[in-house]
Amino acid sequence: MEKLINEHLENGRSVAVRYRDVTEYDINADYEIIYLEIINPAKETAAMILSELIESSKTTIYSKYTLNEITRTIKKRTKNRDVLIVFNDLQDLSRSSTRFFLDIISEVQILCSIRAETKGYHTKLLNNMKVLSLEEDEVTDIKIPLIIMGGLIAFLLYLKIAMGLTGTVAYLVLASVWFGTIIARTLLWIAS
């Protein structure tokens, strides 16, 4: 995996690695590496990156400049430099932090990890990156097949019970099943 990461970085691509801690990888190329502990909010992250590039206090940058001014300065300072920004958990990026990284990705390279499900607004950033994963790290989500199988079993069980009942008892069984189904769907919606 480390060899693949280094190859893509040497070719000028940003890299996202699934289910791994990227701070543990050894980067072969001569980059000015900036490790980020905090990736939200966007202005604080930008101030941290700029403070590393110009060796100034992060709090001074944060209080004096807007996010757009900091972004423009980062782009100027990284124009002819090889800067690599390294952080974990891309899925935790807020919308504004994602926009910030989209703004600077043309001037810097990013090495990050994805250790959970990403959101829709991360897609543009991920389209500018090479996403790597190992086969043994892949996770299969079996929640939906289990729900479908449970629903099928409940349907068949209800059908068997309803065929043997008539009148009010059949109505009560049907009402109970529908009530249980509505509660289960609500709980699934809350869980997601």
Side-chain angles (χ1 to χ4, degrees), residues 1-2 21 40 51 60 81 95-96 111 118 121 129-130 140 144 148 154 174 180 191:
M1 178 66 84
E2 199 167 283
D21 182 357
N40 290 315
S51 71
T60 305
R81 293 162 74 176
R95 286 184 191 273
S96 58
L111 173 61
T118 58
Y121 58 85
M129 303 175 83
K130 179 67 179 171
T140 304
I144 301 300
I148 291 170
L174 177 63

Side-chain angles (χ1 to χ4, degrees), residues 105-123:
I105 199 164
S106 60
E107 302 298 329
V108 300
Q109 286 179 272
I110 297 172
L111 173 61
C112 64
S113 69
I114 306 170
R115 297 193 272 191
E117 192 172 324
T118 58
K119 297 173 184 72
Y121 58 85
H122 294 130
T123 305

Side-chain angles (χ1 to χ4, degrees), residues 120-133:
Y121 58 85
H122 294 130
T123 305
K124 284 185 181 178
L125 184 59
L126 288 171
N127 288 340
N128 292 313
M129 303 175 83
K130 179 67 179 171
V131 180
L132 302 175
S133 64

Side-chain angles (χ1 to χ4, degrees), residues 140-151:
T140 304
D141 186 13
I142 61 167
K143 184 174 21 175
I144 301 300
L146 283 176
I147 292 169
I148 291 170
M149 191 171 77

Side-chain angles (χ1 to χ4, degrees), residues 43-160:
K43 187 175 178 184
E44 187 170 337
T45 304
M48 190 179 312
I49 292 169
L50 186 58
S51 71
E52 292 283 329
L53 293 172
I54 64 173
E55 297 177 7
S56 180
S57 168
K58 181 182 84 167
T59 53
T60 305
I61 295 168
Y62 187 84
S63 61
K64 280 188 175 183
Y65 303 105
T66 66
L67 178 59
N68 289 335
E69 291 171 332
I70 297 171
T71 303
R72 279 195 302 272
T73 308
I74 289 172
K75 283 180 165 184
K76 283 182 204 169
R77 294 287 181 158
T78 57
K79 199 98 180 149
N80 296 318
R81 293 162 74 176
D82 290 330
V83 177
L84 178 66
I85 298 173
V86 180
F87 62 90
N88 282 312
D89 303 319
L90 176 128
Q91 74 279 353
D92 292 340
L93 281 176
S94 65
R95 286 184 191 273
S96 58
S97 292
T98 303
R99 274 194 304 273
F100 164 69
F101 281 111
L102 270 170
D103 286 343
I104 66 168
I105 199 164
S106 60
E107 302 298 329
V108 300
Q109 286 179 272
I110 297 172
L111 173 61
C112 64
S113 69
I114 306 170
R115 297 193 272 191
E117 192 172 324
T118 58
K119 297 173 184 72
Y121 58 85
H122 294 130
T123 305
K124 284 185 181 178
L125 184 59
L126 288 171
N127 288 340
N128 292 313
M129 303 175 83
K130 179 67 179 171
V131 180
L132 302 175
S133 64
L134 296 173
E135 271 187 41
E136 65 260 15
D137 290 339
E138 290 300 318
V139 176
T140 304
D141 186 13
I142 61 167
K143 184 174 21 175
I144 301 300
L146 283 176
I147 292 169
I148 291 170
M149 191 171 77
L152 183 63
I153 290 171
F155 171 75
L156 293 173
L157 183 63
Y158 166 74
L159 192 61
K160 182 177 179 180

Side-chain angles (χ1 to χ4, degrees), residues 171-188:
Y171 174 75
L172 287 174
V173 169
L174 177 63
S176 299
V177 168
W178 279 113
F179 181 73
T181 303
I182 291 169
I183 295 299
R185 285 185 56 189
T186 305
L187 292 175
L188 283 172

